[in-house]
Amino acid sequence: MRHFISVNDVEDISLLVKEALTHKANPYLHKELGKNRTIGLIFLNPSLRTRISTQKAAQNLGMNVIVMNMDKEGWALETQDGVVMNHNTVEHIREAAAVMGQYCDIIGVRSFPRLVDRNEDYSEDFFNKFIKYSGVPIVSLESATRHPLQSLADLITIEEHKPKPRPKVVLTWAPHIKSLPQAVPNSFAEWMNKADVDFVITHPEGYELAPEFAGAAKVEYEQEKALEGADFVYVKNWSSYKDYGKVITMDSYWMIDNELLALTNKAKVMHCLPVRRGVELADEVLDGVDSLVIPEAANRVWSAQAVLAKLIRDNF
Ligand code: SN0
């Protein structure tokens, strides 16, 4: 594995889950693996779990870690080629990424979509340029269209809590007041489509995910029907892909509460966090016995540790 950008970079997802669980059982077993290696974690957007869990994972492997909130502490970046930089941008990604590649053996990058131009976001231009100009392995800490470290942590959590060999997993759209990226649901869908699960997506009309991410997943527009027999309910809001970046409905009755949860097979509830209480998920569910949101967040460490260990082994 040269980079970790999507599920397509992973040869065998169940093997990666197994490796993550090995790190979980014995976090410091490979504390020499990353010795004298430096990882740079570059954030162009806010983060809590990704930042701390990836830093912790790298430290468990003995790596040196540099964290930079580039949006606040770095020079304003230009990403387009051929631009005469006589406006607000100060430094071109060609130089910025190349220089960081000189200081770091691996670079993790977080960069959200602008949600203005679908082609621009879905081309993953920023990530592709970062890969090209840095010259080192790149780990996605959430890109415009994907959040693979989250999806791997989700799969680890499902593996640990599944009540049967092939559980039913339902990804449900949730209401929100803001326009959010499709990265988390896109990524979750592409990982679930490769996992041994019965995968169903439910959302109001107009919130269809991009076909390359929805893949062969079953789409059920009636939420109550989708929830029937579910073993896991994965809750997430996203803005429209079709009417790009728009909030087309806020339908508050889509919020999962105990009444909707009663339709499932005693389902466990997942959410990548941060979650807006009383908007995306009812307090009674988040505070109830079926919530997995904290163990799911805890698994972010083992997800990152498995990925970094693989990158170190495969590249150095
Ligand atoms: C991000 C998202 O992609 O949906 C990060 C999730 C890991 N979430 C948000 O930006 C939430 C913002 C808000 O105002 O609730």
Side-chain angles (χ1 to χ4, degrees), residues 137-153:
I138 299 294
V139 180
S140 168
L141 306 176
E142 189 171 346
S143 71
T145 65
R146 293 177 172 96
H147 195 357
L149 285 174
Q150 178 66 51
S151 310
L152 174 56

Side-chain angles (χ1 to χ4, degrees), residues 155-186:
L155 186 57
I156 296 165
T157 311
I158 289 170
E159 185 60 35
E160 288 179 311
H161 293 271
K162 64 184 184 186
K164 52 167 99 72
R166 192 178 162 82
K168 177 172 177 181
V169 178
V170 178
L171 164 63
T172 180
W173 180 88
H176 203 287
I177 55 160
K178 270 173 52 184
S179 198
L180 295 193
Q182 295 105 34
V184 170
N186 277 348

Side-chain angles (χ1 to χ4, degrees), residues 50 110 112 142 147 150 176 178 180-181 183-184 236-237 272-274 276 280 300:
T50 303
R110 162 163 290 192
F112 286 177
E142 189 171 346
H147 195 357
Q150 178 66 51
H176 203 287
K178 270 173 52 184
L180 295 193
V184 170
K236 183 72 183 87
N237 167 266
C272 65
L273 306 178
R276 290 185 181 236
E280 297 178 77
R300 292 293 308 275

Side-chain angles (χ1 to χ4, degrees), residues 10-269:
V10 182
E11 231 169 85
D12 184 338
I13 57 169
S14 49
L15 191 63
L16 196 57
V17 169
K18 255 189 217 145
E19 280 170 14
L21 290 170
T22 312
H23 288 287
K24 185 171 185 171
N26 201 342
Y28 308 111
L29 187 64
H30 302 289
K31 63 176 191 291
E32 299 290 320
L33 187 65
K35 204 174 164 205
N36 298 335
R37 298 274 169 209
T38 298
I39 185 168
L41 303 176
I42 311 297
F43 291 89
L44 287 103
N45 312 94
S47 171
L48 187 152
R49 279 147 293 277
T50 303
R51 177 180 170 148
I52 298 177
S53 64
T54 311
Q55 182 162 2
K56 184 171 162 152
Q59 286 168 347
N60 287 352
L61 295 170
M63 299 185 88
N64 301 319
V65 188
I66 297 170
V67 182
M68 182 162 177
N69 299 313
M70 208 155 166
D71 53 332
K72 298 181 191 82
E73 296 155 6
W75 301 111
L77 266 193
E78 180 58 60
T79 58
Q80 297 311 306
D81 288 326
V83 172
V84 176
M85 288 166 56
N86 59 358
H87 285 283
N88 296 332
T89 53
V90 179
E91 175 151 41
H92 202 279
I93 192 169
R94 285 178 179 248
E95 283 81 39
V99 167
M100 283 187 258
Q102 301 294 309
Y103 303 148
C104 306
D105 299 291
I106 296 176
I107 302 176
V109 184
R110 162 163 290 192
S111 178
F112 286 177
R114 287 201 306 135
L115 292 177
V116 176
D117 178 339
R118 186 166 96 176
N119 289 337
E120 177 192 319
D121 291 344
Y122 275 68
S123 75
E124 292 284 12
D125 183 54
F126 185 85
F127 260 74
N128 291 332
K129 284 184 171 147
F130 221 96
I131 288 173
K132 186 169 169 190
Y133 299 123
S134 70
V136 299
I138 299 294
V139 180
S140 168
L141 306 176
E142 189 171 346
S143 71
T145 65
R146 293 177 172 96
H147 195 357
L149 285 174
Q150 178 66 51
S151 310
L152 174 56
D154 297 334
L155 186 57
I156 296 165
T157 311
I158 289 170
E159 185 60 35
E160 288 179 311
H161 293 271
K162 64 184 184 186
K164 52 167 99 72
R166 192 178 162 82
K168 177 172 177 181
V169 178
V170 178
L171 164 63
T172 180
W173 180 88
H176 203 287
I177 55 160
K178 270 173 52 184
S179 198
L180 295 193
Q182 295 105 34
V184 170
N186 277 348
S187 197
F188 186 70
E190 74 177 354
W191 282 73
M192 286 304 117
N193 281 331
K194 284 202 169 184
D196 191 15
V197 300
D198 173 15
F199 183 49
V200 178
I201 308 176
T202 185
H203 53 70
E205 291 214 21
Y207 283 105
E208 291 78 12
L209 295 174
E212 65 267 33
F213 290 102
K218 185 167 183 235
V219 177
E220 170 57 67
Y221 289 95
E222 263 183 67
Q223 190 191 35
E224 297 195 355
K225 210 166 150 199
L227 292 172
E228 273 171 29
D231 299 299
F232 295 91
V233 179
Y234 194 93
V235 180
K236 183 72 183 87
N237 167 266
W238 62 89
S239 61
S240 177
Y241 171 76
K242 258 191 193 167
D243 193 1
Y244 193 65
K246 298 284 183 309
V247 175
I248 48 179
T249 168
M250 295 215 208
D251 294 344
S252 59
Y253 56 87
W254 275 75
M255 179 180 78
I256 298 289
D257 56 13
N258 278 347
E259 203 181 321
L260 283 171
L261 208 52
L263 301 171
T264 67
N265 179 33
K266 297 192 174 72
K268 298 290 182 198
V269 178

